Amino acid sequence: MSWFKGIEFAHPGFFWLFLIIPLMVAWYVWKQRQLQGTLGVPTLKSFTFKKSYTARFRHVGIAIRSLAIAALIVALARPQSSLSWQNSSTEGIDIMIASDISGSMLAEDFKPNRLEAGKNIAIDFIKNRPDDRIGLVIFSGESFTQCPLTIDHDVLINVFSDIKNGMIEDGTAIGMGLATAVNRLRTSTAKSKVIILLTDGSNNSGSIPPITAAEIAKQFGVRVYTVGLGTNGYAPYPVPTPMGIQYQRMKVDIDEGTLSKIANITGGKYFRATNNETLRQIYTQIDKLEKAKIDVTQYRRKTEMFLPWAIIALALLSLEFLLKNTLFKGALT
């Protein structure tokens, strides 16, 4: 039983004892009425009525006693603070997303552009896989790990949202991006290790050829899903000019042969995304392909919190006893 988040009661059955309090108050009221008497006098002119402070506060005792019993009942129910967390075992899936952030990713055949569409759809994919460790590698003329494998998807999503073109030297180092992602997965003991590599061009920089990186991935048991981003033919590309943003038609040049070969070498699959909807469908397919049973071990730590309530009950009973035998002696019942 839990009254509010983080607090549980080991013996909630004791809460039935709260029924004692209204019965006790009812008995007190009945007893008070039995103790009252009447006095007949011919006139009230010679009487003045002044209530003493003992008369004014004669009901304090029952109030204190009721609060004391309530605190005692809560103590008997054994309130506990509960701290729990889950730790996914190594039988899950580790996923690295390797995203191209080169200048061509600003082309607007996707809405608002390839880079932003890729980010938004990937974030939806991350949200749908709460039990997997997921990380992020970005590449352009070089590559680096933006976020290592983590189960804290809120952090990953914040990091993913912040990536933009211009963070690193321009270019398209597909081999370097893939190799960096493989390096993050090589020590993983997960049942399945996956890389989702997104790019809109051909490898033109970096010291590691894409096929070499694919062979390395195969050695470490990493499966790579490659995604080519770009419409067929030409795409509108924004170019800053003194007159403002002007659009040029940019030829879509995706090295589909290399991307297909990377996927085949590693046991993955190549996809072609021509707009937001096809990219979303690709992530849905990958999501269905990469399903594994995950063993989750739940850890729970509880801290007993009955002692403060017991102390409160004792303090209130002591206060009632003290008042009954000093200031309100004879007035409290």
Side-chain angles (χ1 to χ4, degrees):
M1 179 177 179
S2 177
W3 282 8
F4 51 91
K5 187 176 180 181
I7 300 296
E8 297 178 352
F9 294 92
H11 304 299
F14 279 103
F15 286 123
W16 287 105
L17 294 177
F18 274 113
L19 295 173
I20 294 174
I21 296 176
L23 294 175
M24 183 179 68
V25 173
W27 169 260
Y28 173 81
V29 173
W30 179 83
K31 188 178 178 181
Q32 287 293 309
R33 288 179 176 175
Q34 295 293 6
L35 292 175
Q36 291 179 358
T38 58
L39 175 64
V41 294
T43 180
L44 296 176
K45 291 182 179 180
S46 60
F47 287 87
T48 57
F49 298 92
K50 291 184 180 180
K51 287 188 177 181
S52 66
Y53 74 92
T54 56
R56 291 176 184 275
F57 297 101
R58 68 181 184 278
H59 301 304
V60 168
I62 188 63
I64 295 175
R65 195 179 314 153
S66 298
L67 291 174
I69 291 175
L72 184 60
I73 292 170
V74 173
L76 289 172
R78 282 183 58 195
Q80 300 170 329
S81 65
S82 178
L83 176 64
S84 63
W85 64 95
Q86 289 185 333
N87 183 31
S88 296
S89 72
T90 57
E91 294 300 310
I93 299 175
D94 283 350
I95 302 172
M96 288 298 300
I97 298 175
S99 179
D100 188 346
I101 63 166
S102 59
S104 59
M105 289 288 285
L106 298 178
E108 296 183 10
D109 46 349
F110 288 66
K111 300 301 176 185
N113 56 49
R114 293 172 185 170
L115 181 58
E116 291 301 317
K119 286 163 53 176
N120 295 336
I121 296 171
I123 287 172
D124 290 339
F125 172 80
I126 292 167
K127 290 178 179 178
N128 289 330
R129 303 189 69 96
D131 297 315
D132 295 325
R133 293 199 308 166
I134 305 177
L136 173 64
V137 166
I138 59 173
F139 64 91
S140 187
E142 52 187 351
S143 69
F144 70 90
T145 302
Q146 188 75 357
C147 181
L149 288 167
T150 180
I151 198 69
D152 189 343
H153 292 175
D154 290 337
V155 170
L156 174 61
I157 289 170
N158 287 336
V159 170
F160 214 141
S161 300
D162 290 338
I163 65 171
K164 57 186 177 182
N165 171 252
M167 295 177 68
I168 48 181
E169 181 183 352
D170 203 16
T172 308
I174 296 174
M176 291 293 292
L178 179 55
T180 302
V182 172
N183 186 53
R184 284 293 175 179
L185 288 169
R186 64 186 177 85
T187 58
S188 169
T189 56
K191 184 177 181 179
S192 183
K193 295 178 282 189
V194 174
I195 293 173
I196 302 173
L197 186 145
L198 301 96
T199 183
D200 67 344
S202 303
N203 189 76
N204 57 24
S205 59
S207 57
I208 302 177
I211 302 304
T212 301
E215 294 290 352
I216 297 171
K218 181 181 178 181
Q219 291 179 12
F220 287 107
V222 177
R223 185 163 45 257
V224 182
Y225 293 99
T226 53
V227 182
L229 298 173
T231 188
N232 296 310
Y234 291 83
Y237 181 78
V239 179
T241 69
M243 303 294 293
I245 298 295
Q246 301 291 327
Y247 285 89
Q248 296 181 356
R249 282 164 48 86
M250 180 180 70
K251 182 174 175 57
V252 179
D253 183 22
I254 302 172
D255 189 352
E256 294 191 281
T258 297
L259 294 179
S260 296
K261 193 169 183 179
I262 291 172
N264 290 334
I265 289 172
T266 61
K269 190 175 181 179
Y270 168 67
F271 300 92
R272 176 68 183 272
T274 56
N275 53 43
N276 292 51
E277 185 55 34
T278 55
L279 180 58
R280 193 177 301 278
Q281 291 174 4
I282 288 167
Y283 268 110
T284 300
Q285 290 184 56
I286 296 173
D287 182 55
K288 292 178 180 178
L289 288 169
E290 293 298 334
K291 291 291 186 182
K293 182 179 179 180
I294 295 180
D295 298 324
V296 177
T297 304
Q298 186 174 37
Y299 297 89
R300 186 180 293 268
R301 186 178 68 190
K302 294 183 178 180
T303 303
E304 296 288 349
M305 299 181 66
F306 70 89
L307 185 58
W309 293 96
I311 292 173
I312 291 172
L314 179 61
L316 289 171
L317 289 173
S318 299
L319 177 62
E320 185 201 8
F321 178 82
L322 183 64
L323 293 176
K324 189 175 181 179
N325 289 277
T326 53
L327 296 178
F328 303 105
K329 188 173 182 179
L332 300 184
T333 58

